[in-house]
Amino acid sequence: MPSSSAVPSSPGSAASEPAAVAPRATSAKATRRLAVQPEAAAVRERLQRHWRSRAKDAEARRLIRHGVKQIPGCQEHSDADLLPLENAMEFYAFSDGEAVEVEEEPSGYLFVVHEGSLRVRKAGQPAGQLTRGCVFGGDNFLWGAQGLVSAHAEGAAGVWATSGPTFQRLLRQRVEEYAAENARFLASLASFAGLPAKQLALLANAFFEEVVEAGTVLVSKGDTTTALYFVRKGSLRVVDGSAAEGAQELGRIGPGHGFGERALLYGEPRAATVVAVEDCELLRIGAPELRAALGADLLAYLEGCLILAALRGSPTYSEFSFTQQSAIVRAMQVRDFPRDARDVIPSGGELFLLVVIAGNLVRDGVPLLSRGDYLEADGCSIVATAS
């Protein structure tokens, strides 16, 4: 029995999707309310006596990023997210035995050890040693713990540090900027044009950012990863088989184009290998996040996207407004045909738009259409073959 096709609240993504990109992990950011310890004047004065002017070279910045990413909740922040925090860090030098952090007077500062080592006590008991690249102090203001850790220099030692309120403000500011950037990018895509602001905001916070370098093999033919992807910056090369030189190139995927609908809908293996032509930024979202933002009937939503994509590609229907195209989607029906069924499009001279949601169509034994492809036909007989 035919069923009406669901209309998404936005237009769909590209009608043809050659491949999808596997995740390489930077993720969407999430905020949390931070419990910040007050900074007593005596604590600030104690630390200020150890302040030293020191420029941050590339190695110092790498060390700071490495340390901050050890903090729970900060592992998935990108280098760009942490740049304001790097800039806010200042250098403090300590001699042997001097206190960097005191259990009875937690500073609320975040510290990253640059050189030397620190002897740590927790709840009054020895708790090990901190060496180059280690981070400490964050628990005091991130999770509201008080008076848990003290740290004293063993020999000469140097640390980078910033206050808890500064840490909170900079990360929260970057999270808000990140979400706004994502929302603007998603709103510019045909797939989400016209999406209500509330759903767009949910999507913007649910997407994971992926940064890949030129030459990275993102997904190989036969992989079974499933997600929906959009290219924000850069270009990807789609090849048949391996990424070795001489492999047949099937196409390119550039900024503003989305791919992955087929993998998300049907879980089918990747049909090609995808390689980054240059450094790229991608946005990725999985089915659970999509359902949370767009509704439980994700299959119906994405089927509607495929139909809308066909309407946008049609010489006839592309001239219609989005409201008119949405009405056409609601009027269309999804029909199932068994293998070798004939007369999928009955003859009769009437203009039809056919969009393949699943399976393949052939004409006289020659492949004609596959999933996501469309056909405007004025009376013809086509054999449908289900995959």
Side-chain angles (χ1 to χ4, degrees), residues 56-337:
K56 301 182 189 76
D57 58 16
E59 177 59 21
R61 290 183 176 276
R62 185 201 66 78
L63 195 72
I64 292 170
R65 291 194 300 270
H66 171 77
V68 172
K69 287 183 179 182
Q70 296 178 48
I71 299 173
C74 295
Q75 300 96 327
E76 296 174 340
H77 283 276
S78 69
D79 291 351
D81 296 332
L82 298 180
L83 182 59
L85 185 60
E86 290 175 31
N87 294 335
M89 285 278 191
E90 296 186 304
F91 190 79
Y92 298 84
F94 298 84
S95 300
D96 183 41
E98 289 185 320
V100 181
E101 182 77 309
V102 179
E103 287 181 285
E104 294 77 15
E105 296 179 336
S107 66
Y109 273 63
L110 173 71
F111 299 93
V112 179
V113 180
H114 179 86
E115 57 194 10
S117 63
L118 307 177
R119 183 177 63 256
V120 180
R121 298 181 69 86
K122 188 171 184 177
Q125 301 298 317
Q129 187 182 55
L130 296 171
T131 57
R132 180 177 171 83
C134 291
V135 64
F136 69 100
D139 286 352
N140 287 338
F141 60 87
L142 280 174
W143 321 123
Q146 299 186 30
L148 292 180
V149 175
S150 68
H152 293 74
E154 287 189 324
V159 300
W160 295 101
T162 190
S163 69
T166 299
F167 179 92
Q168 174 186 357
R169 176 177 55 81
L170 291 175
L171 284 189
R172 180 169 292 163
Q173 177 181 327
R174 180 53 190 148
V175 165
E176 292 171 353
E177 291 172 353
Y178 177 89
E181 290 170 6
N182 274 359
R184 287 192 294 270
F185 174 73
L186 295 175
S188 72
L189 300 175
S191 300
F192 301 113
L195 196 66
K198 183 176 181 180
Q199 286 181 301
L200 193 61
L202 288 173
L203 282 175
N205 284 289
F207 267 91
F208 287 75
E209 181 184 16
E210 311 215 357
V211 179
V212 297
E213 298 177 350
T216 301
V217 177
L218 302 163
V219 65
S220 297
K221 185 175 182 178
D223 285 354
T224 57
T225 54
T226 60
L228 183 62
Y229 294 81
F230 294 96
V231 180
R232 187 157 63 183
K233 293 181 182 178
S235 176
L236 308 174
R237 185 166 63 100
V238 184
V239 297
D240 186 19
S242 72
E245 290 293 330
Q248 180 185 2
E249 183 170 315
L250 303 177
R252 297 279 178 117
I253 304 171
H257 290 277
F259 47 92
E261 295 96 336
R262 298 179 188 179
L264 192 65
L265 282 172
Y266 307 107
E268 60 186 27
R270 303 304 184 192
T273 296
V274 181
V275 185
V277 177
E278 55 191 316
D279 293 353
C280 299
E281 292 182 13
L282 311 171
L283 292 181
R284 171 180 63 85
I285 191 169
E289 293 80 14
L290 267 178
R291 289 191 181 96
L294 304 178
D297 197 352
L298 188 56
L299 178 62
Y301 176 87
L302 293 178
E303 285 179 351
C305 286
L306 290 176
I307 297 171
L308 280 170
L311 294 174
R312 292 197 306 274
S314 160
T316 302
Y317 299 110
S318 61
E319 300 299 322
F320 289 24
S321 69
F322 174 64
T323 300
Q324 291 172 318
Q325 290 176 348
S326 297
I328 292 171
V329 174
R330 285 191 293 270
M332 293 185 74
Q333 294 180 327
V334 177
R335 296 175 181 266
D336 296 323
F337 295 90

